[in-house]
């Protein structure tokens, strides 16, 4: 079968974190924003009540600081912690040899690396995301395939997107 594109690169912690944080932002970023807006709305109501009742404004502002810190932890701390944990699992499974070669064919892709050989048909890919340095293919089983945008030795990211979307349209 004729290879349509190929991507070769080594997964570094920096690239892995970029990919995981991009997936995280896409998967629950909207829910985070809604939760923060709800809490801020409740705080505004509390603040207005405090003003109307002649209460201590300093306490209301202290609550705002606490809400801000909780929001920062929710939006930044938890996703980074989850990504670091996933990196340790990946590193523990494959060690420091995280070189990957991903070859694209008309109906599937193949990933090869030290101790890894995986075939994924394009119908298993549910989303295609992009970050600053990566193209990320998210599969039905919630795994992600990372591709370095500068790692294409044959073809490019746009061709891979078109190949996957074209194969899914034929279904």
């Amino acid at each position: 079968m004729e290879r349509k594109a190929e991507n070769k690169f080594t997964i570094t912690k920096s690239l892995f974190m970029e990919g995981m944080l991009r997936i995280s932002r896409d998967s629950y970023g909207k829910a985070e924003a809604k939760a923060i807006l709800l809490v801020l709305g409740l705080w505004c109501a509390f603040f207005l009540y405090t003003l109307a009742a002649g209460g201590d404004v300093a306490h209301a502002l202290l609550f705002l600081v606490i809400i801000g810190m909780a929001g920062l932890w929710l939006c930044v701390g938890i996703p980074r912690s989850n990504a670091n944990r996933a990196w340790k699992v990946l590193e523990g499974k494959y060690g420091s040899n995280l070189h990957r070669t991903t070859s694209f064919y008309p109906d599937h892709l193949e990933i090869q690396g030290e101790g890894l050989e995986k075939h994924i048909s394009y119908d298993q890919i549910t989303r295609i995301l992009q970050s600053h340095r990566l193209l990320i293919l998210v599969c039905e089983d919630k795994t992600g395939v990372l591709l370095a945008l500068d790692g294409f030795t044959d073809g490019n990211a746009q061709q891979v997107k078109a190949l996957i979307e074209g194969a899914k349209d034929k279904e």
Side-chain angles (χ1 to χ4, degrees):
M1 195 175 294
E2 180 187 354
R3 186 179 73 205
K4 300 291 187 180
E6 182 178 70
N7 187 277
K8 291 183 179 186
F9 79 109
T10 299
I11 301 173
T12 62
K13 184 175 183 179
S14 172
L15 286 171
F16 183 81
M17 294 293 285
E18 181 179 320
M20 286 293 292
L21 293 174
R22 176 63 180 92
I23 290 170
S24 173
R25 185 178 77 223
D26 189 67
S27 62
Y28 75 89
K30 291 176 184 172
E32 284 175 345
K34 288 178 184 176
I36 289 172
L37 287 174
L38 174 67
V39 171
L40 285 176
L42 292 172
W43 177 83
C44 285
F46 170 72
F47 184 70
L48 291 174
Y49 175 78
T50 301
L51 288 177
D56 189 4
V57 174
H59 283 118
L61 294 176
L62 177 64
F63 287 139
L64 180 62
V65 170
I66 292 169
I67 289 169
M69 290 171 40
L72 188 63
W73 176 248
L74 177 69
C75 295
V76 177
I78 290 175
R80 286 197 176 278
S81 176
N82 290 342
N84 272 319
R85 197 171 318 119
W87 170 254
K88 288 178 183 173
V89 168
L90 181 70
E91 199 175 34
K93 187 173 182 177
Y94 297 107
S96 62
N97 191 357
L98 293 171
H99 184 75
R100 298 290 183 262
T101 300
T102 306
S103 300
F104 296 87
Y105 297 95
D107 62 344
H108 73 284
L109 63 88
E110 295 177 4
I111 306 168
Q112 294 182 348
E114 185 70 30
L116 172 72
E117 187 170 322
K118 190 168 185 174
H119 299 254
I120 300 172
S121 66
Y122 295 143
D123 63 351
Q124 294 175 349
I125 298 172
T126 58
R127 290 180 294 164
I128 301 174
L129 305 173
Q130 190 166 335
S131 67
H132 180 66
R133 300 178 292 170
L134 296 170
L135 185 67
I136 307 156
L137 310 177
V138 181
C139 300
E140 289 174 346
D141 63 359
K142 305 295 183 209
T143 59
V145 178
L146 302 179
L147 305 165
L149 291 174
D150 64 356
F152 284 95
T153 57
D154 187 18
N156 60 43
Q158 288 73 26
Q159 290 172 328
V160 166
K161 286 180 189 179
L163 183 64
I164 294 169
E165 290 166 359
K168 291 176 85 69
D169 288 342
K170 290 179 184 175
E171 294 173 1

